[in-house]
Amino acid sequence: MRTIQPLLRSGLTVAAVAALPLALTAGPAAAGPGISVSTSGSTVSVTTTACSRTAPTGGWGTASLLTSSQANFSQGRQVALSGTTSLQSAAWSNVSPGTYTVIVMCAYNNSTAGTQSIIVSGSATPTTSSTASASASPSRGVLGGLGGATKDYGTLTLAVGGGLVAVGAAATAWFLRRRSRPYRL
């Protein structure tokens, strides 16, 4: 039993080393064309290369935008694909914030080109009105830190904190020095 385990381990190692050149020379797996979904503010757009042929009645296909409560293609907001044989696209505007699923169906063979989920966060460009101020207010950014990263406490608070740190460091040094001498109590 003791000689079988090392032989088995070395045999597996030799097999892995022998398979490595085959794996490295193999080309990448052919992936399906699929779809690419993007969002810009409240506009969702989809592009695909899968629907390269039109149906006999014309048209590349249809894309559908489904909310999380909708279950199938026909329940979503449908838009006809437009484009050429090399690239087809569709877009939805005024999409409210939330999570959506985009499904693209090709018209030629009624096959699904792809399905992808996307999160719409809202309008990316602020709207301005004639009564609005000419200068935009600055963003507050990320309010991270250890609880006080965005508040100014002043000089007195910093001095008291620094004094407490110095007293703590001195007390620690005194305790460790006292402890290093075993003959003193």
Side-chain angles (χ1 to χ4, degrees), residues 164-178:
L164 288 173
V165 169
V167 168
T172 302
W174 177 78
F175 177 76
L176 291 175
R177 183 176 172 171
R178 273 294 279 170

Side-chain angles (χ1 to χ4, degrees), residues 152-168:
D152 183 20
Y153 287 107
T155 309
L156 179 64
T157 306
L158 287 175
V160 170
L164 288 173
V165 169
V167 168

Side-chain angles (χ1 to χ4, degrees), residues 60-78:
W60 300 104
T62 309
S64 183
L65 180 70
L66 284 76
T67 63
S68 58
S69 63
Q70 295 171 328
N72 59 27
F73 185 84
S74 62
Q75 292 176 338
R77 288 174 56 184
Q78 296 182 10

Side-chain angles (χ1 to χ4, degrees), residues 71-100:
N72 59 27
F73 185 84
S74 62
Q75 292 176 338
R77 288 174 56 184
Q78 296 182 10
V79 176
L81 292 174
S82 61
T84 63
T85 56
S86 60
L87 183 69
Q88 304 81 42
S89 64
W92 299 267
S93 58
N94 298 326
V95 178
S96 58
T99 303
Y100 295 89

Side-chain angles (χ1 to χ4, degrees), residues 69-143:
S69 63
Q70 295 171 328
N72 59 27
F73 185 84
S74 62
Q75 292 176 338
R77 288 174 56 184
Q78 296 182 10
V79 176
L81 292 174
S82 61
T84 63
T85 56
S86 60
L87 183 69
Q88 304 81 42
S89 64
W92 299 267
S93 58
N94 298 326
V95 178
S96 58
T99 303
Y100 295 89
T101 302
V102 175
I103 302 173
V104 176
M105 297 287 288
C106 295
Y108 176 73
N109 54 3
N110 289 329
S111 65
T112 303
T115 302
Q116 185 175 340
S117 294
I118 191 161
I119 298 173
V120 178
S121 60
S123 179
T125 57
T127 58
T128 58
S129 64
S130 60
T131 60
S133 172
S135 63
S137 61
S139 171
R140 291 186 66 190
V142 177
L143 300 177

Side-chain angles (χ1 to χ4, degrees), residues 18-38:
L20 185 63
L22 294 175
L24 292 176
T25 58
I35 63 174
S36 175
V37 181
S38 62

